[in-house]
Each structure stands twice: as C-alpha cells, then as structure tokens.
Amino acid sequence: MRINVSLIVAIIVAVGGVAFIFTAFQISAERDKLNKELEAKTIRASDHFFNEFVTKNDSILIDEITDSAVQTIGFDGVAVYLNNDSIIQVSEPTGEYLAHSKDYIRQAIASDSSMGKYLKADGKSFYQYIRVLGKKDSPHSAVVFYSDSGYINNILNDIWLRSFLRWFLQAMLISAMTLLIIRRSILKPINKVVEWVKAARFGNVEKIKAKPPTEFLQPLYKEISGIAQEIQEAKAIAQEEARLRTTAEAVWTPERLSEEMKQILEDKTMVVVSNREPYMHVKSGNEIECIVPASGMVTAMEPIVKACGGLWIASGSGDADKEMVDENDKVQVPPYENKYTLRRIWLTKEQEHHYYYGFSNEGLWPLCHIAHTRPVFRKIDWDYYKEVNEMYAKAVIKEIKDKDEPFVLVQDYHFALVPKLIKEARSDARVALFWHIPWPNPESFGICPWKKEILTGLLGADLLGFHTQYHCNNFLETVNHTLESRVIWENFSVKIANHFTLVKPFPISIAFTSRDIENPSNGKDVVNTPADILKKHGINAQYMGIGVDRIDYTKGLLEKFLAIERFIEKNPDYVGKFTFVQIGAPSRSLLKTYSDTISAVEQEANRINFKLKVKGWQPILFLKGHHSHEQIQPYYESANLCMVTSLHDGMNLVAKEYVASKKNNDGVLILSQFAGASQELHGALIINPYDIEESSDAILTALEMPEDLQQQKMKMMRRLIVKHNVYSWGANILRTMASIEN
Ligand code: F6P
C-alpha cells in the first residue's frame, strides 16, 4: 500500500512539475503575444487619433474631442500634457491614471521620443502610450493614451486554470494506469518470484514447477528453478557424502573426486591437453551459441575437469571462438558455471590440414582401427604433426612455468610426441597420456614409417593409459618389436635409459552416479513412448531403436542398416511397428573417406526405406546433424533398443549413455564385440556387426525379450557403470600418476 501512495504522489508531483513548466512557458509566450498586439493596436489607434484631432502644425483640436469619439477610436482615456501645471484631460476616466503617468510623460518629453509601458493603478491594469508633439514655436507637449490591459490577465488566468485542470486530469489518469500496470505486471510477478525464491530456499522444486511462470519472467524462473535444483542436489550430495563417510562405500561422485584431487594435488596444477575442445563457440545468425562437440573424449574428460578445476588446452575450432577469449586466449567454462579455464590454441589452415586431417586422421586413425581403410602416411603430414606437437608442448611448458610438480594429462593420438617434449623440459612434471582409440598388433602398427618416433614420444610419459588390457598388451608388444628398450611384463612397464613408463588399462566411462539411480527422474518429466517420439517425425510405429554415432567408417553404420533391413524382411510382422532412429553427427567431412561415408550411409537409408516403406511408416529415420545431449536424451529414454555396431572402437560411450538413460530399467543394448564396452557390459546382446544375420536376429531377441529379463540385465549394467563411472576412472589415473616416483 505504501508503495502505491508514494508512487501516486511521485507521479502527481512529476506530472504537475512538467505541467507547471510547460504552462509557464505557454503563459509567457501568450503574454508577449497579447502585449504586442495591444501595443500595436494602441499605436494604430493613436495614428487615427492624430489624423482626426491634430492639425498639421501640431495643434490639438481639443474642443472636438468627445468621450464617444475617444472610445470609437479605441481608448479608455486620453489626456494632453502641456506642462506640469497644464494637463488637459480630454476624456474620462483619465484623471485617476494621470497621477501615475507624470514622471513617465516627462521622461518621454525629455528624450523627445514616443514610448509606452504597462501600469497598474487602483487595482486596474492599463497600457499607457505617450506620443510627443514638437510644436516649432513652443515647448514640447504630449498626448497620453490609455488602453485597458486587464483583459490580458483574464485570458492568462483562464489559460492557467484550463492547463491546470488538463494536467491534473492527465496526472490522475497516468497515476491510475501506472498503478494498474505496476500491480499487474510488476507487483504480481514479483510476489510470484518471492514465492519461488522461498520455495527454492527450502529446496521445494515441486512448488516451483506447480506454478507456470509469466512469459517475461521465464529466464528468471529458469534460473531460480536451477538454483532450487542445485540446492536440492547439494542437500542430496551432503546426505550422500555423510552416508559414504559412515559406510565407507566405494562409490565415486564429482564431490568425492574433487576431495580426492585436493589430497593428491595439494596445491599443484593440473593441465589437460587435447585437440578437440570441450566447448565450441559458433555463430548462429546474430547470436553466438556454445555447443559441446560430439566426442567420446569430451564426454569423459569434461566432468572430471569440471569437478576438479584446472586448465584445459585445446584447439579453437568454432567460428566464434576467437570472439570469446581474453587477451591470453582463455575463457572460463562451462558457460555461466565457470568451473575451469579453457585455453584455445589457434592452428593455421595448413597445420589443421596436415596435422589433424592428414597424419592424425588419415594416418593414425585407420592404422589403429581395424576397419579396412588403408592408412595414408605423407611426409608433409608428419612434419606438421611434429610442428603442432611442439607448439602444444611449448604452450603447456609456458603455462606450468612457475608451478612445481604439475600434473599434465595429454589426450589421444593427436599428441603422441608431447609427453617426451614436456618431460625433457620439465622432469618434475608428472605426465600421463590416455590413448582413446584401440592400439593395434605390432604387425599392423609396424607399417607406420615413423613408428619409432611415435613410440619414443609416448614413452616420455610416466603413465600411458588404454581402455583395455588387450590394447596395453598390443602396445607393449609393439614396443618390444620396435625399440631398444626393456618391457617389464611383471608390472606392465617400459624402461628406456633411466625412465620408466607404466602402461595400464583404464576403461573410460561416463558421469553416472548412484544419485542418478536413486533419484532417476531428477525432477524431469515422464518418459515419452516410442510412438510419441516417432509421431513427431510423421512415423506411426510402436517400437523404436536408437543409434547415436559420429558418421565414421569405423562405426559400422552400413552394417547396422543392413541388419535392420534383414530384420524387417525376416519378420514382416514388424512392418509398421518398428522404426530405427539413427542420429549421425557429420565429422571430419573434409576427408573423402568421411564424405563418402556420409553419402553412402544416406543412400543406404534411402534405398532401404524406399524398398520397405508403407503409408505412414518407414524402417529407418536418419537424423543427420549435430545434436546436443539434451536433444538426444528423449530418444535414449524411450527407445526399446540401442544398437552400437562399431567395427572397431576403443570403448564407445554411447553404449554406456544409453544404459544410464534407462531410468525405468527397460530396453536392450545390442553391442558390437569390437567395442571396448563389450568387455564390461555383459548384460548387452553381443554381436559381430559384420554378421548381418546375427545382428538382425539380435533385434528380434531385443524386441521380444521379457520385461523382467530386460530389467535384470539393465539393472546389472547400470550398477556396473555407477561403480566404474568416469569419476572413478579419473581418480584411478590421478592416483596412479601420484604414486609414480619421479
Ligand atoms: O572418442 C575417440 C575420438 O577419437 C576422440 O578422441 C575424438 O575427440 C573423437 O573421437 C571425435 O573426433 P574428432 O575430435 O576428430 O571430431
């Protein structure tokens, strides 16, 4: 109420003030105008008077001047001034005015010029005009004309009154409207915000959800519900931490990893190095969007760095990346959370062409993946690979210049030479490299012309990690075949000169915790049915399969589509009932092998759909393009099955993400035996993706698997992922690094 009254008073004072100033201006202009009109009129009338009553030699025909003649000409009074003792009043009522005019008349005669001015006398206002007469043979005399100016004040008073009334009404109207607007658009929403904040304070997410927000408060509402969510999560974390402390259960959470890191690192720095950055800024119309690239390495590493903080050095590859960094090429991420620093490195077109597309992805990638695409090794690509590795090593060395015993975690096949370069400059640094892709057998690796340099570069690290023991063994055998070194099989390490490198498996995982199992809905809405999701794409079917891959020849996408075709052919009952959704993110498409793969996959989906489709249904829905985690989630949640058909894959985190998304423990995972994940996820239907018959049968088995069996398998896999989540992966690597004697 107080706010209303003071607001009205403020508005009235403000509007009144404005009204006063405007009216004052208007009055002053009006007064000037009316005065000028009266003065001009008086002068004109005095001319007329002279024509009528003054002779050529300035003699005044006093006898002829009557009251009525004076009034006809337009004066309220006329007097003739000869000298102080002789003033002839030629019309009424000049007598009462004359006493006030004498000085002014003498002044006009002294200056020998006609003049006029306004006077107030006896409660009356008038304009007096003195016209000086200069008779040649006698002293100056003058005629004094009086015109009533009282009407000017009346007009001006009238204007004041009307303006005041008008402004007063306006002020009232504006106050009423403002009050109404404030009540409806500000006070009411503010009250709602207060309710939300209260609900947020008590972590009552439900209460916030129950009240649909006003449109313009949507961003604030989002923030508040986010805070409520976080408070609720923080409470859950605190409870969970307390429970863990009492039970000493080995479950890893971001908080536990963060605590562990504090103990391991003490005040030491952690630097992560990768080619792919965790966040890309890209232009989208006039806006800049921040997207997470499709990358298993990013999926795994990001939650760890987010939990522990530190510095992440990576190539800036978004077209708006340069606009978002500071003068040191750094930006705080994740957006709005600012948990760690991302330092972007800028590669030239040539460097990107030869180091990334060339040596990394036309050489090492096919070399390490047994997918029957020949590796290509060019000297120029190798030279650029060395150059970029040196550039990254320098960047790391610069960042750790003043830091004692820093921890450096190098990611992947793009930086095989970095560990040695860093160790040569900083022997106190603990350096680990995690190889996110498979390591082939020594014969396969042996075709690389620069195998020795690559192995030597890698063995500069204190710790080398692979997804599986099988890849570790392949690596150790490759070293044995290629280098003068000692492989110590007892503890899986390599000794070159005085330096030891530990080679260990660390099966990578995802950020899935016991909290996600215990609180599966996490405040989110109910799961859509497959039919709901497919309907949005104009397809009628009750069962849905899902596949999510980068479009890469190693992912077995053609084999997957052939298996779907074969399944429908063998099981025509599923025509109109089962559709497979394949989400495919184009990747490395400047390379011919990749652009060919994209077109081949599209063509194959079209061919199969054309062959088998019926009205309102098709067997395959191919969604090409980058999709965010939030966009993919509903597909995972509702799909009856997920197919991972990699021809060769280090781990494959899509398999784990699908399992993690199945909060109702339904659904079946069909998983390639050539993906590292198949060694952990025993609840999956394991297939050989090259065997189309086997894969198509697996689709039928999955769709017809009894509900309780699905639940049993899914629960088992979910428990396993919680136990071996990415936080435990990170903790294992960091503990191992810390345990190595430098
Ligand atoms: O997950 C394996 C991996 O090689 C990552 O290391 C890499 O980031 C990802 O595939 C995607 O590849 P790219 O970064 O070339 O798009």
Side-chain angles (χ1 to χ4, degrees):
M1 188 60 195
R2 205 181 300 153
I3 189 174
N4 296 352
V5 174
S6 44
L7 237 152
I8 292 177
V9 171
I11 292 170
I12 290 177
V13 168
V15 176
V18 173
F20 180 82
I21 292 166
F22 275 105
T23 312
F25 274 120
Q26 197 186 345
I27 295 281
S28 144
E30 198 63 25
R31 186 192 296 282
D32 280 354
K33 197 181 101 196
L34 291 170
N35 285 352
K36 279 197 181 106
E37 273 173 17
L38 181 61
E39 288 157 24
K41 199 182 111 199
T42 309
I43 292 169
R44 270 199 316 277
S46 75
D47 288 346
H48 189 179
F49 178 91
F50 268 65
N51 289 341
E52 294 277 321
F53 304 111
V54 180
T55 63
K56 279 219 168 100
N57 61 355
D58 281 351
S59 297
I60 302 167
L61 308 173
I62 290 177
D63 296 339
E64 292 178 25
I65 306 170
T66 62
D67 275 357
S68 63
V70 167
Q71 271 164 24
T72 312
I73 292 170
F75 294 115
D76 296 299
V78 174
V80 176
Y81 177 97
L82 298 173
N83 57 54
N84 266 356
D85 303 324
S86 178
I87 300 172
I88 304 160
Q89 178 184 327
V90 290
S91 82
E92 288 297 341
T94 45
E96 60 210 58
Y97 304 153
L98 267 172
H100 303 281
S101 303
K102 279 185 187 160
D103 288 347
Y104 192 57
I105 295 168
R106 281 195 291 274
Q107 201 184 322
I109 289 174
S111 64
D112 194 16
S113 65
S114 302
M115 48 208 241
K117 80 166 180 185
Y118 288 88
L119 277 183
K120 262 195 175 167
D122 309 324
K124 282 190 172 181
S125 308
F126 54 90
Y127 177 67
Q128 62 171 344
Y129 179 64
I130 321 287
R131 186 133 175 192
V132 177
L133 288 172
K135 238 177 138 189
K136 280 176 203 117
D137 49 357
S138 66
H140 274 54
S141 59
V143 183
V144 189
F145 302 96
Y146 296 99
S147 298
D148 184 3
S149 66
Y151 73 95
I152 293 182
N153 285 339
N154 293 343
I155 292 175
L156 295 180
N157 287 341
D158 199 43
I159 292 176
W160 264 118
L161 189 71
R162 272 188 287 125
S163 292
F164 174 76
L165 280 177
R166 196 172 65 229
W167 286 112
F168 179 76
L169 279 176
Q170 278 182 8
M172 294 315 278
L173 213 69
I174 291 172
S175 310
M177 296 290 287
T178 312
L179 213 69
L180 213 73
I181 292 168
I182 287 174
R183 284 187 84 93
R184 301 194 104 220
S185 316
I186 301 179
L187 292 180
K188 216 166 150 201
I190 284 179
N191 286 341
K192 191 157 271 182
V193 171
V194 171
E195 266 178 44
W196 294 336
V197 173
K198 263 190 201 157
R201 190 150 60 92
F202 295 109
N204 189 346
V205 182
E206 283 314 305
K207 191 158 184 198
I208 296 177
K209 262 208 304 186
K211 300 200 189 284
T214 321
E215 182 78 27
F216 85 95
L217 284 178
Q218 195 71 32
L220 185 60
Y221 172 79
K222 253 175 107 181
E223 286 302 318
I224 293 174
S225 42
I227 293 170
Q229 192 75 45
E230 271 171 30
I231 292 176
Q232 206 180 39
E233 278 170 19
K235 277 185 183 167
I237 290 163
Q239 278 165 8
E240 175 72 359
E241 294 296 303
R243 194 175 68 80
L244 288 179
R245 270 196 299 280
T246 50
T247 59
E249 206 178 301
V251 176
W252 282 92
T253 60
E255 296 74 29
R256 185 170 167 201
L257 176 64
S258 167
E259 280 306 311
E260 179 86 7
M261 284 283 292
K262 278 181 207 150
Q263 284 172 26
I264 294 175
L265 289 177
E266 292 162 357
D267 54 354
K268 294 174 196 128
T269 297
M270 179 175 89
V271 181
V272 172
V273 184
S274 73
N275 174 67
R276 182 62 64 199
E277 58 181 340
Y279 292 96
M280 282 165 83
H281 286 101
V282 291
K283 288 182 182 152
S284 157
N286 290 334
E287 307 276 297
I288 292 182
E289 246 184 79
C290 184
I291 61 166
V292 176
S295 157
M297 181 277 299
V298 168
T299 305
M301 284 308 295
E302 213 276 334
I304 293 181
V305 190
K306 197 170 145 182
C308 306
L311 175 70
W312 187 328
I313 303 179
S315 305
S317 49
D319 57 7
D321 274 356
K322 282 200 174 151
E323 290 173 39
M324 302 305 290
V325 292
D326 64 14
E327 63 282 5
N328 298 313
D329 296 324
K330 290 178 180 170
V331 57
Q332 294 299 310
V333 286
Y336 307 114
E337 289 182 58
N338 300 354
K339 294 273 170 85
Y340 62 93
T341 307
L342 169 62
R343 152 122 196 245
R344 287 174 169 149
I345 301 273
W346 313 112
L347 300 181
T348 63
K349 279 235 164 320
E350 289 72 30
Q351 286 172 332
E352 194 187 4
H353 181 69
H354 293 290
Y355 136 81
Y356 172 72
Y357 286 108
F359 196 76
S360 299
N361 287 317
E362 285 193 293
L364 290 177
W365 180 269
L367 178 75
C368 294
H369 288 91
I370 316 296
H372 313 289
T373 296
R374 282 175 72 157
V376 180
F377 293 110
R378 303 179 194 94
K379 170 79 169 62
I380 186 165
D381 291 346
W382 169 243
D383 288 341
Y384 272 103
Y385 185 83
K386 283 192 291 186
E387 180 181 300
V388 173
N389 272 244
E390 277 161 21
M391 200 170 131
Y392 265 80
K394 265 192 201 143
V396 175
I397 291 162
K398 190 175 163 211
E399 293 291 345
I400 59 177
K401 193 164 60 125
D402 306 318
K403 320 277 180 190
D404 287 337
E405 299 178 21
F407 279 52
V408 182
L409 269 99
V410 185
Q411 306 300 313
D412 239 341
Y413 57 98
H414 309 90
F415 297 124
L417 310 181
V418 167
K420 183 163 182 268
L421 293 168
I422 293 176
K423 278 302 258 195
E424 278 169 358
R426 287 291 302 268
S427 59
D428 66 321
R430 284 166 206 273
V431 181
L433 183 141
F434 191 82
W435 194 263
H436 287 259
I437 59 176
W439 190 277
N441 62 42
E443 292 73 28
S444 298
F445 194 80
I447 66 170
C448 175
W450 298 284
K451 54 183 178 283
K452 284 193 178 167
E453 289 87 336
I454 287 173
L455 290 173
T456 317
L458 286 170
L459 288 168
D462 301 300
L463 176 64
L464 277 178
F466 295 91
H467 290 298
T468 65
Q469 185 62 51
Y470 180 65
H471 297 152
C472 293
N473 293 350
N474 276 351
F475 177 80
L476 290 170
E477 278 165 19
T478 309
V479 173
N480 223 1
H481 273 65
T482 322
L483 294 182
E484 295 275 324
S485 60
R486 190 155 76 87
V487 174
I488 309 160
W489 287 98
E490 289 75 33
N491 65 357
F492 297 100
S493 63
V494 180
K495 183 174 184 236
I496 296 184
N498 283 330
H499 181 71
F500 284 91
T501 304
L502 198 55
V503 180
K504 280 192 63 141
F506 297 95
I508 208 163
S509 197
I510 56 169
F512 186 54
T513 66
S514 50
R515 274 202 302 275
D516 301 308
I517 286 200
E518 282 156 21
N519 180 19
S521 78
N522 209 9
K524 303 217 177 69
D525 295 329
V526 275
V527 173
N528 289 304
T529 65
D532 291 336
I533 299 252
L534 290 169
K535 196 148 204 92
K536 287 183 191 145
H537 296 282
I539 297 170
N540 295 315
Q542 85 193 77
Y543 302 109
M544 182 177 91
I546 181 72
V548 180
D549 300 274
R550 276 188 309 106
I551 307 178
D552 191 305
Y553 53 81
T554 60
K555 301 293 180 187
L557 291 168
L558 295 177
E559 288 74 6
K560 196 186 301 194
F561 288 177
L562 290 175
I564 294 158
E565 177 186 27
R566 191 75 192 107
F567 162 73
I568 295 289
E569 281 172 351
K570 286 198 285 186
N571 303 283
D573 283 355
Y574 279 94
V575 168
K577 287 190 183 156
F578 172 75
T579 291
F580 189 85
V581 180
Q582 176 64 47
I583 293 177
S587 139
R588 307 172 191 168
S589 34
L590 289 186
L591 294 179
K592 189 170 179 319
T593 39
Y594 282 82
S595 54
D596 285 352
T597 306
I598 296 172
S599 356
V601 168
E602 269 176 321
Q603 274 173 28
E604 197 59 0
N606 290 341
R607 179 190 68 74
I608 296 167
N609 280 338
F610 185 73
K611 180 174 154 191
L612 299 174
K613 72 176 173 192
V614 295
K615 196 163 179 285
W617 176 84
Q618 64 190 60
I620 297 171
L621 174 65
F622 181 44
L623 301 177
K624 189 175 90 175
H626 179 269
H627 288 71
S628 68
H629 183 72
E630 289 70 31
Q631 288 169 315
I632 296 171
Q633 196 62 12
Y635 291 91
Y636 277 151
E637 284 174 4
S638 57
N640 303 90
L641 61 91
C642 173
M643 268 184 109
V644 174
T645 51
S646 306
L647 305 180
H648 203 185
D649 215 334
M651 172 55 70
N652 193 292
L653 293 182
V654 166
K656 293 188 177 179
E657 281 182 333
Y658 174 69
V659 171
S661 304
K662 301 309 285 182
K663 47 194 173 199
N664 297 331
N665 298 309
D666 56 344
V668 178
L669 173 65
I670 299 175
L671 179 58
S672 163
Q673 67 184 87
F674 306 120
S678 67
Q679 296 185 24
E680 286 182 88
L681 300 178
H682 298 303
L685 297 179
I686 304 294
I687 53 157
N688 168 2
Y690 292 98
D691 185 342
I692 306 301
E693 290 300 320
E694 185 189 49
S695 304
S696 63
D697 290 344
I699 298 175
L700 182 66
T701 309
L703 289 175
E704 303 201 341
M705 188 179 283
E707 182 75 14
D708 55 347
L709 188 56
Q710 288 184 30
Q711 296 265 334
Q712 193 187 315
K713 284 171 179 288
M714 199 52 86
K715 274 185 189 162
M716 182 177 86
M717 291 192 284
R718 284 164 70 80
R719 277 199 298 268
L720 180 123
I721 299 175
V722 165
K723 201 164 165 208
H724 299 290
N725 61 18
V726 80
Y727 304 111
S728 79
W729 178 83
N732 275 340
I733 291 190
L734 289 156
R735 276 176 179 173
T736 313
M737 282 173 86
S739 70
I740 293 168
E741 296 279 311
N742 244 340

